[in-house]
Amino acid sequence: MVDTLLPVRAAPARSGETAALALGRGDEGGLVSAADERPDTAPPGELVEPGRALALADFGPPSIGMSERLVRMAYRLGIPGATLVSPFTKPARPRLLATVSSPLGGNKVAGTALRAGHFLVHGVKSPIAQIDFAGAGRMAPPLERTVHSFAWLTDLEACAPRETVAPVAERVLTAWLDANPKPPSKPGKGPAWSIDNAGNRLVNWLVHAPLILSGENRALRSRTFDAMAAHARWLDRHVGRAEDRLAEVAGWCGIVAAGLLLPQGKPRRLFGESGLIRALGEMVGDDGGVLSRSPLCQMEAIALLVRLRACYLAVKRDMPRALETMIDLLVPPLLALTHGDGSLGSWQGGWAIDAGELALLVEASGVRTRPLRDVRQWGYQRVVAQKGVLQFDAAPPPLAKHARTGCASTLAFEFSHAGQRIVVNCGGAGCAGGLIPARLEQGLRASAAHSTLVLDDANSTAVLINGRIGSGVSEVDIDRRTLIGEKNAGATRLEASHNGYASRFGLIHRRILILRDDGTELRGEDLLVPASGKGKSGKVGFAIRFHLGAGIEAGLSEDGKGAGLALPDGSYWQFRTGSEGQVTIEESLWADGQGRPHPIQQLVIQGLVSRGGGSFSWLLKKMG
């Protein structure tokens, strides 16, 4: 896999950017300290703080004439669209102006389960007959979102011909409309009426309209058109009160889609395009990563825009260039978090989403690109060394206002070789409530659920309820460089540090990772450095965790300083530590591509360290 051909937003090249070193063991057979490989004249790294949003100048509303500008302003002030478009005629009868061809495929297994009378979400079947569509009895969050966003329409359409599945869609829609006859006075009154669910629901109704409007029941068709119009009006009034930026984008997408496909919708479309572009500019960082730092949110943003583009195509109208540019901007950072098999790494509440699902989304986007390797503002570093792929979280967690499933994962990493995940993060917080119990959600967002160092079982950033995060890491220092070794045995060196433990323990965590260019050796060192000139007295417990990929069999060495790793593909890797701590094997959990939990193992280097600081070196190497 080629790493990248795209320009990288990084610090300018400086003297000493490459350095020579000998990779491997020291003369006495011990581990060479990664810190010792740093050139004497190494420049300071670049400071990374939570990324900024795109300036509105970067993505402004589409250029329109004065008359359209006045129409948009009048609509914003509350003048009905029908009055602005045709002031002397009666309102047009409810209908769709075009039929949308759905650009995204669904899950055939989930669609088949719907035909059999069940919602299937992350491995859990829930009978449709037992669903409380009114929301008085709360469902698990993943099921709740699937039901009320009508995302299941995509799965249903994928599993069988339309005439076969349309009756199922109509039955569920009827039950939902019976439970929700009209929108409430404001958002948040029941799970159905978040801006996020309402916006996604309206988009899905319009994109999959043939499924819910092609039956013989004229009364249901009239109710559905009325519900679409009511949703659009409700979003017009309340989209500014969205739960977060992604929810706001979903609301604006619903408004624009309704403006395109419902009669007399031009004023709504103009109003929606302006708001959507503004919301996207406030949600996305300057390198294309959403400010929640979540690959799940990145995928959802792409999917919303791809569906919206299909609405433009249906009415034979060009999508505003700013929205096309946004799709182009969103895809490359997402690909930076793929492993060699094309599946995603587990970051910020996500799980190991399958390569096929990701490939379908990228194909539907129409973007042809390669992964970025240095998505500095989004916060991830990617190193590709032949068959080896290293992903490194080198930025603070997202700001609380952006986080949906915020995780204390700073300086965690994932590593795979030839498509086999070797070191992973647990992942799965975003699908907790399926086969992964909801009570584990906060634990899966903790530092200990990631392959990084933890002090005194404390999170580097506070993990709060409802996906939010508190104080902790506020800045990360990152330095990336290429090293030239003996006999062309080069490597890529990443060094980063965070201040998440400075206030509690007076220590800065610094991690150095060096991946050989042949991808068969990863060396690291975790250093604890006093935050002030003089360290505190006493000791504190530490644990450096390496969660192992599914199917890996680990066995400890006799001296307790390492472990052998037998991979499912038949290869064998050795893990060694040169520190004073002992290596132990503990149980762990990993969420697969469908959000299902799998028992795995983790290697843990643990012990006590002086509050004056310490260093812990380790090596992961392929044998044979």
Side-chain angles (χ1 to χ4, degrees):
M1 180 183 295
V2 180
D3 203 350
T4 181
L5 289 180
L6 296 176
V8 178
R9 289 181 173 88
R14 295 162 289 205
S15 60
E17 194 67 26
T18 61
L21 79 159
L23 292 169
R25 297 177 177 274
D27 295 337
E28 302 300 324
L31 287 173
V32 177
S33 167
D36 293 339
E37 310 297 355
R38 183 163 183 165
D40 294 336
T41 59
E46 180 175 332
L47 185 66
V48 177
E49 298 177 346
R52 74 167 180 89
L54 289 164
L56 294 184
D58 299 332
F59 290 90
S63 178
I64 57 177
M66 180 58 69
S67 62
E68 291 182 327
R69 194 171 298 143
L70 291 173
V71 167
R72 184 175 67 193
M73 182 183 301
Y75 189 80
R76 186 182 293 119
L77 293 174
I79 299 176
T83 302
L84 294 171
V85 174
S86 304
F88 303 111
T89 60
K90 62 181 181 179
R93 65 181 179 85
R95 63 189 178 92
L96 285 184
L97 301 181
T99 300
V100 181
S101 177
S102 178
L104 296 172
N107 186 314
K108 292 183 179 180
V109 176
T112 303
L114 279 164
R115 293 182 63 195
H118 299 85
F119 287 105
L120 178 63
V121 181
H122 300 312
V124 176
K125 285 185 177 181
S126 303
I128 295 174
Q130 297 178 14
I131 296 295
D132 180 6
F133 292 102
R138 295 303 295 265
M139 296 175 270
L143 174 62
E144 188 174 83
R145 193 159 191 271
T146 298
V147 169
H148 290 300
S149 70
F150 277 68
W152 52 268
L153 284 173
T154 307
D155 301 329
L156 193 61
E157 189 169 46
C159 75
R162 180 184 302 164
E163 58 272 14
T164 304
V165 298
V168 179
E170 291 175 354
R171 284 198 298 271
V172 179
L173 175 63
T174 299
W176 192 93
L177 291 175
D178 289 342
N180 300 274
K182 62 179 182 179
S185 59
K186 60 182 180 179
K189 290 193 173 183
W193 296 104
S194 66
I195 298 297
D196 187 25
N197 281 335
N200 275 286
R201 182 165 60 244
L202 182 55
V203 170
N204 283 317
W205 281 353
L206 292 167
V207 170
H208 299 285
L211 273 185
I212 57 178
L213 294 174
S214 59
E216 300 297 326
N217 189 333
R218 293 187 177 182
L220 176 60
R221 189 182 305 123
S222 177
R223 288 181 69 191
T224 304
F225 278 125
D226 289 344
M228 289 177 177
H231 272 64
R233 292 191 299 270
W234 187 82
L235 287 170
D236 286 344
R237 295 192 301 270
H238 299 298
V239 66
R241 302 171 67 179
E243 307 80 57
D244 57 29
R245 291 300 183 196
L246 183 56
E248 184 179 353
V249 166
W252 284 117
C253 283
I255 290 170
V256 176
L260 289 167
L261 295 168
L262 297 181
Q264 299 173 329
K266 181 179 178 179
R268 175 175 283 133
R269 174 180 62 79
L270 294 172
F271 168 68
E273 287 173 344
S274 175
L276 175 59
I277 292 169
R278 184 183 301 108
L280 285 166
E282 294 171 350
M283 183 187 74
V284 179
D286 59 1
D287 54 12
V290 294
L291 298 184
S292 65
R293 302 196 58 225
S294 167
L296 294 179
C297 294
Q298 193 89 0
M299 291 181 68
E300 184 175 336
I302 295 170
L304 279 167
L305 293 178
V306 167
R307 289 189 173 98
L308 186 60
R309 182 169 60 191
C311 297
Y312 278 97
L313 290 174
V315 297
K316 296 180 172 57
R317 174 176 288 276
D318 291 336
M319 192 178 195
R321 183 57 198 159
L323 298 180
E324 291 282 5
T325 301
M326 184 59 73
I327 297 176
D328 295 341
L329 191 65
L330 286 167
V331 173
L334 179 65
L335 296 180
L337 297 184
T338 55
H339 284 283
D341 62 354
S343 60
L344 278 179
S346 302
W347 299 104
Q348 291 298 320
W351 54 94
I353 292 173
D354 290 335
E357 181 179 348
L358 181 61
L360 287 174
L361 177 63
V362 174
E363 181 181 2
S365 75
V367 178
R368 299 293 177 263
T369 186
R370 296 187 175 116
L372 293 176
R373 69 182 181 96
D374 183 357
V375 198
R376 191 155 300 202
Q377 288 299 323
W378 202 30
Y380 299 104
Q381 295 286 324
R382 171 187 176 88
V383 181
V384 175
Q386 293 190 22
K387 296 181 180 180
V389 177
L390 173 66
Q391 300 173 9
F392 188 36
D393 183 348
L399 296 175
K401 64 181 180 180
H402 298 303
R404 281 197 168 183
T405 50
C407 295
S409 59
T410 310
L411 302 197
F413 76 95
E414 289 201 355
F415 177 64
S416 64
H417 188 270
Q420 170 65 56
R421 295 169 190 250
I422 302 175
V423 178
V424 299
N425 301 310
C426 295
C431 58
L435 287 178
I436 296 177
R439 66 179 182 275
L440 296 183
E441 187 261 352
Q442 276 188 270
L444 293 173
R445 295 163 49 215
S447 295
H450 299 81
S451 293
T452 188
L453 177 144
V454 180
L455 286 181
D456 199 30
D457 290 328
N459 294 317
S460 57
T461 298
V463 173
L464 309 178
I465 62 173
N466 297 324
R468 304 303 181 186
I469 54 176
S471 61
V473 179
S474 61
E475 57 186 38
V476 172
D477 188 72
I478 174 69
D479 181 71
R480 177 176 181 142
R481 64 188 62 221
T482 299
L483 305 175
I484 301 174
E486 296 177 354
K487 298 180 181 178
N488 295 320
T492 299
R493 182 183 190 277
L494 299 173
E495 178 178 352
S497 62
H498 76 71
N499 63 347
Y501 293 120
S503 61
R504 283 168 287 178
F505 305 109
L507 293 169
I508 299 292
H509 175 207
R510 178 180 299 157
R511 168 163 274 185
I512 301 171
L513 299 175
I514 300 176
L515 179 62
R516 284 179 60 117
D517 285 347
D518 62 6
T520 62
E521 181 178 292
L522 175 64
R523 284 191 295 142
E525 184 164 13
D526 288 284
L527 301 97
L528 293 168
V529 181
S532 57
K534 184 179 181 181
K536 297 182 179 180
S537 60
K539 293 189 175 183
V540 63
F542 75 93
I544 307 173
R545 300 183 180 276
F546 303 84
H547 299 269
L548 302 177
I552 294 179
E553 297 180 4
L556 292 177
S557 61
E558 293 182 0
D559 62 359
K561 295 291 185 180
L565 309 178
L567 275 57
D569 62 5
S571 61
Y572 188 81
W573 290 66
Q574 186 179 42
F575 178 87
R576 294 290 297 176
T577 178
S579 62
E580 296 180 0
Q582 293 292 305
V583 178
T584 60
I585 297 177
E586 299 180 4
E587 295 180 348
S588 185
L589 175 149
W590 176 73
D592 70 5
Q594 303 302 317
R596 299 169 299 195
H598 292 265
I600 59 171
Q601 294 178 309
Q602 59 175 312
L603 302 179
V604 186
I605 305 172
Q606 55 189 334
L608 294 174
V609 62
S610 167
R611 292 200 177 199
S615 65
F616 313 95
S617 56
W618 47 267
L619 169 72
L620 180 63
K621 185 174 183 178
K622 185 180 181 183
M623 309 303 293

